[in-house]
């Protein structure tokens, strides 16, 4: 049997309530999940765990989430990035590979985006993997 590494996710938001919401939105995804409250902590986790997906809020203590995601893409171009914000910038700069999910969207939208990213990374649905792991 060939074992494949499950993709991991990194979630970044300075607001503990939004971080808790991100925990809930990602709880059904198989694989490791990491959580950070600052850009510095997020960069440390990026280097230590090499997540496949990073979801970041916009308002962070040291820098905005979009700048953080751009730095992460420079450091690891393979990482899929999602900006999760209630106040999106007017225009996303020319950085490719950064998706936008507004915090005010319908419940389940973030979960749908996370599931779609998981399927894109693995070619399998998260529920089929959950059954396999049990």
């Amino acid at each position: 049997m060939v074992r494949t590494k499950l993709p991991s996710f990194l979630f970044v938001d300075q607001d503990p309530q939004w971080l808790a919401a991100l925990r809930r939105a990602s709880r059904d995804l198989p694989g490791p999940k990491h959580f950070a409250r600052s850009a510095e902590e997020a960069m440390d986790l990026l280097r230590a765990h090499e997540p496949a997906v990073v979801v970041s809020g916009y308002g962070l203590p040291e820098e905005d989430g979009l700048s953080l995601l751009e730095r992460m893409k420079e450091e690891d171009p393979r990482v899929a990035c999602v900006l999760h914000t209630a106040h999106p910038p007017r225009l996303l700069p020319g950085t490719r590979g950064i998706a936008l999910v507004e915090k005010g969207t319908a419940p389940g939208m973030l979960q749908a985006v996370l599931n779609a990213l998981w399927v894109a990374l693995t070619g399998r649905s998260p529920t089929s993997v959950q059954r396999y792991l049990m």
Side-chain angles (χ1 to χ4, degrees):
M1 176 191 331
V2 176
R3 289 205 175 258
T4 58
K5 180 181 170 188
L6 293 175
S8 66
F9 286 74
L10 170 58
F11 299 93
V12 187
D13 203 298
Q14 75 170 353
D15 183 331
Q17 290 179 330
W18 275 111
L19 218 47
L22 292 168
R23 282 182 200 279
R24 287 188 304 276
S26 66
R27 72 176 163 239
D28 292 334
L29 291 173
K33 293 158 209 84
H34 309 281
F35 298 87
R37 292 192 59 193
S38 69
E40 182 180 329
E41 184 181 2
M43 289 303 292
D44 290 342
L45 288 170
L46 176 78
R47 292 178 186 117
H49 299 287
E50 298 178 347
V53 177
V54 177
V55 177
S56 179
Y58 189 70
L60 299 175
E62 308 93 353
E63 67 182 300
D64 68 74
L66 183 57
S67 298
L68 171 65
L69 294 174
E70 289 173 331
R71 280 196 309 135
M72 289 180 157
K73 291 289 289 175
E74 285 176 15
E75 189 154 321
D76 184 354
R78 300 167 300 165
V79 69
C81 295
V82 178
L83 182 64
H84 186 234
T85 181
H87 304 288
R90 278 197 134 184
L91 295 173
L92 289 176
T95 304
R96 297 181 149 230
I98 298 178
L100 174 67
V101 176
E102 293 190 44
K103 286 183 176 177
T105 58
M109 176 62 79
L110 180 60
Q111 285 175 305
V113 169
L114 295 175
N115 283 336
L117 285 167
W118 208 93
V119 169
L121 291 165
T122 66
R124 298 175 289 181
S125 78
T127 54
S128 68
V129 172
Q130 284 286 15
R131 278 179 268 165
Y132 173 75
L133 294 173
M134 293 181 168

